[in-house]
């Protein structure tokens, strides 16, 4: 046999035996297959987890039917494999395709399960987890110019991981998180059963809408509410350097951004720029659900300091605005949203924070100084308020609603794959995160699970997860909702089969 390890043989035999139909396309790729590497790499976005020493799966299964998922679970359980679940592969720590703790594992890659069915009369859609948010945006826009979906800004993010962790983008202030708009789902549980909302019950349905990927089972499809968008939306970007008053303007935004009209989303990216003199550049990237004339009124009333002029703005359809915020060159056709290739790959690292009280100006000046010490950091500040402040913090696992002004994402990417380069950037980010302590949320120091950060803490191993150990990062991601997540986990997966470095530990007795 080409499979030298008898355990592999048995596992693969088990999978093949469960699939009597031999005419179907290949869906199991072992390390001996010539296209194993290309399948593995196809959606790896963070090159830090695509090196020769990165632990690799024994096999990659790309299920063509839900029954392939059921047999992967059952054969994995029988032969002692762990499963990593991959939808779009954007996990910051690569947890959908590698295992930092060296357990034997297989990857279940859902990329062939990406059907999208739109019911425009009832303004809903069923979308399978392997679709990207860009594909969903594209097909919704083909159905109606007045429908949209509120999810992330990067079109190649996968539905499966994104909805599992919450998901926010340019309509978050109007319609909340992607997960807030889920009304039904289908999950394959640890016993291989396919459960919809009614069959899974409200506790599990609550947990999968933001409690982080993997812990509870494999969500194969989601029913979402589509939302109304006007025929035309307006977009603009205004950029200021320190000399041009960036600090004052950013400071004003801290007070006003979360309180502006729900139709307006204006997030900041703060770059440390090398061109000419090094400086900080703050860019206000904005989308308004309405015409330029209405936008001008809104800004005049709510944020005149921005100095917005009509000539800074453009009107376009909602789906075109998705392209405006993404990496595609100006003038690209919306067809690129169906292009599943992730954006140019690089080595990257991210962390997150939440701000409840505006950071004082002296604090901002300190932050700019720290950014100027590093090559190419970006701080992305995403406003909350609006609908986010109207949803209770217990309604879904995402706890940071009322009283949270904005989220900060620290993000850095680089092209040099050496360990030294990685260490330099990672340690800069740890430093700024530490330095930020006085300025950001405390008790808990909040973080966003979709910007996964293993520095917050990890489970020790699958057989010995500890609820109290996991509180280190669990409370950061979910605050008071963490306990309920752990109890749901204890009810649906008490043996902790769906385990990863930051999966929810099962809480069975009251620890
Ligand atoms: P991936 O497949 O890596 O899965 C992520 C996690 O979910 C893994 O733990 C995985 O095992 C689990 N999982 C995946 N599919 C599952 C399923 N079907 N059932 C159960 N568990 C599953 N976020 C945001 O809110 N707004 C934004 O605008 C952006 N933008 C953005 C840009 C870029 C370039 C990156 C790299 C990331 C973002 N994100 C984001 C973060 C993004 O939401 C987050 O990484 C998602 O978890 C990615 O989902 P994928 O399916 O792509 O990842």
């Amino acid at each position: 046999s080409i499979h030298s390890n008898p355990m592999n043989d048995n596992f693969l035999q088990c999978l093949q035996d469960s699939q009597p139909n031999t005419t179907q396309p290949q869906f199991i790729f072992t390390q001996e297959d010539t296209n194993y590497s290309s399948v593995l790499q196809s959606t790896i976005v963070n090159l830090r987890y695509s090196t020769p020493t990165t632990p690799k799966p024994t096999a990659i299964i790309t299920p063509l039917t839900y029954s392939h998922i059921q047999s992967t679970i059952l054969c994995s359980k029988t032969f002692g494999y762990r499963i990593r679940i991959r939808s779009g592969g954007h996990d910051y720590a690569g947890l959908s395709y590698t295992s930092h703790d060296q357990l034997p594992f297989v990857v279940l890659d859902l990329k062939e399960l990406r059907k999208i069915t739109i019911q425009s009369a009832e303004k809903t859609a069923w979308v399978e987890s392997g679709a990207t948010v860009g594909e969903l945006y594209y097909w919704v826009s083909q159905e109606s110019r007045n429908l949209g979906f509120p999810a992330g800004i990067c079109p190649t993010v996968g539905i499966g991981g994104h909805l599992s962790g919450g998901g926010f983008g340019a309509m978050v202030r109007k319609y909340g998180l992607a997960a807030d708009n889920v009304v039904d789902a289908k999950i394959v549980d640890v016993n291989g059963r396919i459960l919809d909302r009614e069959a899974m019950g409200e506790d599990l349905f609550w947990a999968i809408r933001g409690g982080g990927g993997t812990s509870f089972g494999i969500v194969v499809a989601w029913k979402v509410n589509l939302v109304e968008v006007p025929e035309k939306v307006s977009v603009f970007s205004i950029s200021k350097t320190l000399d041009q008053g960036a600090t004052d303007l950013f400071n004003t935004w801290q007070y006003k951004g979360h309180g502006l009209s729900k139709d307006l989303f204006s997030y900041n990216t703060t770059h440390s720029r090398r061109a000419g003199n090094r400086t900080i550049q703050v860019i206000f990237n904005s989308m308004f659900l309405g015409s330029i004339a209405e936008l001008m009124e809104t800004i005049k009333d709510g944020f005149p300091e921005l100095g917005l002029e009509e000539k800074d703005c453009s009107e376009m359809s909602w789906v075109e605005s998705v392209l405006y915020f993404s990496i595609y060159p100006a003038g690209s056709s919306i067809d690129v949203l169906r292009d599943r290739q992730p954006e140019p790959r690089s080595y990257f690292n991210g962390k997150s924070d939440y701000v409840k009280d505006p950071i004082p100006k002296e604090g901002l000046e300190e932050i700019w100084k720290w950014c100027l010490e590093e090559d190419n950091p970006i701080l992305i500040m995403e406003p909350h308020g609006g609908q986010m402040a109207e949803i209770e913090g217990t309604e879904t696992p995402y706890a940071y609603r009322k009283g949270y002004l904005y989220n900060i994402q620290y993000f850095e990417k680089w092209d040099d794959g050496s360990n030294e380069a990685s260490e330099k950037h990672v340690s800069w980010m740890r430093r700024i995160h530490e330095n930020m302590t006085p300025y950001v949320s405390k008790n808990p120091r909040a973080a966003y699970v979709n910007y996964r950060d293993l520095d917050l803490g990890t489970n020790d191993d699958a057989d010995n997860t500890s609820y109290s150990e996991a509180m280190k990062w669990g409370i950061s991601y979910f605050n008071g909702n963490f306990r309920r997540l752990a109890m749901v986990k204890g009810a649906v997966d008490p043996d902790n089969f769906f385990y990863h470095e930051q999966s929810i530990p099962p809480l069975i007795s009251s620890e």
Side-chain angles (χ1 to χ4, degrees):
S1 157
I2 48 167
H3 310 299
S4 47
N5 178 340
M7 191 162 102
N8 297 358
D9 276 348
N10 293 339
F11 170 75
L12 295 170
Q13 198 58 53
C14 172
L15 265 186
Q16 265 139 14
D17 289 349
S18 64
Q19 301 302 324
N21 172 3
T22 49
T23 57
Q24 60 199 351
Q26 183 177 7
F27 69 97
I28 305 170
F29 301 86
T30 66
Q31 297 193 354
E32 289 77 13
D33 281 310
T34 44
N35 36 9
Y36 169 89
S37 287
S38 64
V39 175
L40 181 62
Q41 283 161 17
S42 59
T43 54
I44 293 184
V45 186
N46 194 347
L47 294 177
R48 286 175 68 199
Y49 307 109
S50 182
T51 72
T53 55
T54 306
K56 307 275 188 306
T58 304
I60 308 162
I61 293 104
T62 57
L64 308 170
T65 64
Y66 295 173
S67 78
H68 292 163
I69 299 180
Q70 296 170 301
S71 23
T72 304
I73 294 177
L74 300 178
C75 297
S76 297
K77 280 203 317 203
T78 309
F79 293 100
Y81 282 89
R82 295 280 162 181
I83 294 182
R84 296 284 146 142
I85 308 162
R86 180 160 78 174
S87 289
H90 283 53
D91 194 282
Y92 278 34
L95 297 191
S96 52
Y97 50 86
T98 188
S99 162
H100 299 259
D101 54 16
Q102 311 284 338
L103 295 169
F105 70 103
V106 296
V107 166
L108 194 57
D109 185 323
L110 304 183
K111 65 176 165 191
E112 303 296 341
L113 296 175
R114 55 170 191 274
K115 195 161 75 197
I116 296 174
T117 318
I118 297 169
Q119 297 87 21
S120 36
E122 62 164 56
K123 296 186 185 154
T124 60
W126 269 104
V127 50
E128 287 186 322
S129 284
T132 62
V133 297
E135 286 175 307
L136 179 60
Y137 297 158
Y138 176 86
W139 291 110
V140 169
S141 76
Q142 295 302 295
E143 194 71 25
S144 161
R145 290 176 69 84
N146 294 107
L147 289 177
F149 185 68
I153 287 181
C154 168
T156 58
V157 164
I159 288 288
H162 191 61
L163 271 58
S164 293
F168 50 69
M171 294 202 286
V172 66
R173 304 191 61 255
K174 176 92 170 184
Y175 295 115
L177 304 174
D180 295 333
N181 292 280
V182 171
V183 292
D184 201 345
K186 288 191 186 125
I187 186 169
V188 186
D189 78 355
V190 67
N191 299 313
R193 294 178 303 172
I194 301 173
L195 308 173
D196 67 2
R197 178 175 183 168
E198 201 187 334
M200 78 177 87
E202 286 303 302
D203 273 342
L204 180 53
F205 183 64
W206 173 84
I208 59 172
R209 287 173 297 148
T214 296
S215 298
F216 308 98
I218 297 151
V219 183
V220 286
W222 312 75
K223 184 179 185 186
V224 297
N225 273 336
L226 303 177
V227 301
E228 280 175 32
V229 296
E231 292 264 316
K232 292 279 176 206
V233 305
S234 305
V235 296
F236 66 89
S237 290
I238 286 198
S239 158
K240 299 273 183 219
T241 59
L242 293 184
D243 291 347
Q244 296 166 329
T247 309
D248 280 331
L249 196 57
F250 181 83
N251 192 35
T252 307
W253 174 86
Q254 293 192 97
Y255 288 86
K256 297 190 164 181
H258 60 96
L260 292 168
S261 158
K262 280 185 183 183
D263 291 324
L264 182 65
F265 172 77
S266 184
Y267 75 102
N268 289 290
T269 55
T270 299
H271 306 251
S272 146
R273 277 279 143 85
R274 259 182 199 290
N277 284 337
R278 278 207 86 160
T279 185
I280 294 291
Q281 182 180 31
V282 178
I283 306 176
F284 294 81
N285 302 291
S286 312
M287 196 264 270
F288 179 74
L289 291 162
S291 65
I292 294 178
E294 292 162 316
L295 167 62
M296 294 306 295
E297 279 301 303
T298 303
I299 296 287
K300 201 175 83 197
D301 294 345
F303 193 10
E305 299 83 352
L306 194 58
L308 183 70
E309 297 180 38
E310 263 180 53
K311 67 173 172 50
D312 302 323
C313 310
S314 333
E315 282 180 359
M316 54 185 66
S317 67
W318 166 74
V319 73
E320 286 162 349
S321 80
V322 171
L323 293 189
Y324 178 81
F325 288 114
S326 66
I327 40 111
Y328 300 107
S332 299
S333 146
I334 61 163
D335 290 347
V336 297
L337 296 175
R338 291 157 64 191
D339 179 0
R340 299 168 52 82
Q341 281 311 306
E343 62 177 287
R345 295 153 207 261
S346 57
Y347 301 81
F348 73 82
N349 191 33
K351 281 187 185 296
S352 58
D353 258 319
Y354 285 78
V355 173
K356 296 182 82 172
D357 300 303
I359 301 173
K361 261 179 79 174
E362 312 77 72
L364 295 177
E365 275 151 13
E366 284 265 52
I367 296 170
W368 306 156
K369 234 173 51 206
W370 300 324
C371 289
L372 287 169
E373 285 166 11
E374 182 58 350
D375 297 346
N376 196 16
I378 306 181
L379 268 47
I380 305 168
M381 330 279 195
E382 294 145 318
H384 278 25
Q387 180 67 9
M388 286 296 274
E390 286 167 27
I391 298 173
E392 287 295 322
T394 51
E395 200 155 305
T396 70
Y398 187 94
Y400 306 119
R401 308 274 189 169
K402 196 172 177 190
Y404 289 84
L405 306 183
Y406 61 94
N407 166 279
I408 305 181
Q409 182 184 180
Y410 312 89
F411 187 85
E412 206 179 356
K413 59 181 180 181
W414 59 94
D415 297 320
D416 172 354
S418 68
N419 284 344
E420 298 77 59
S422 242
E423 272 161 32
K424 172 179 179 300
H425 298 300
V426 168
S427 69
W428 175 82
M429 197 169 286
R430 287 183 180 144
R431 228 164 34 240
I432 193 169
H433 188 258
E434 176 65 32
N435 292 345
M436 288 296 288
T437 309
Y439 303 127
V440 294
S441 66
K442 304 166 186 57
N443 305 314
R445 174 93 182 247
Y448 175 38
V449 67
N450 264 345
Y451 301 154
R452 192 187 301 289
D453 177 5
L454 297 186
D455 285 347
L456 297 173
T458 55
N459 291 313
D460 274 351
D461 72 67
D463 298 324
N464 266 319
T465 56
S466 145
Y467 172 72
S468 45
E469 275 289 302
M471 284 173 73
K472 278 193 255 162
W473 45 267
I475 298 284
S476 284
Y477 288 149
F478 308 110
N479 202 359
N481 294 328
F482 181 57
R483 188 178 173 84
R484 182 172 175 198
L485 286 170
M487 290 177 68
V488 175
K489 171 78 173 178
V492 303
D493 183 23
D495 296 331
N496 207 15
F497 176 68
F498 292 113
Y499 159 88
H500 67 42
E501 290 78 353
Q502 278 188 345
S503 57
I504 306 286
L507 181 60
I508 295 162
S509 60
S510 48
E511 275 181 52

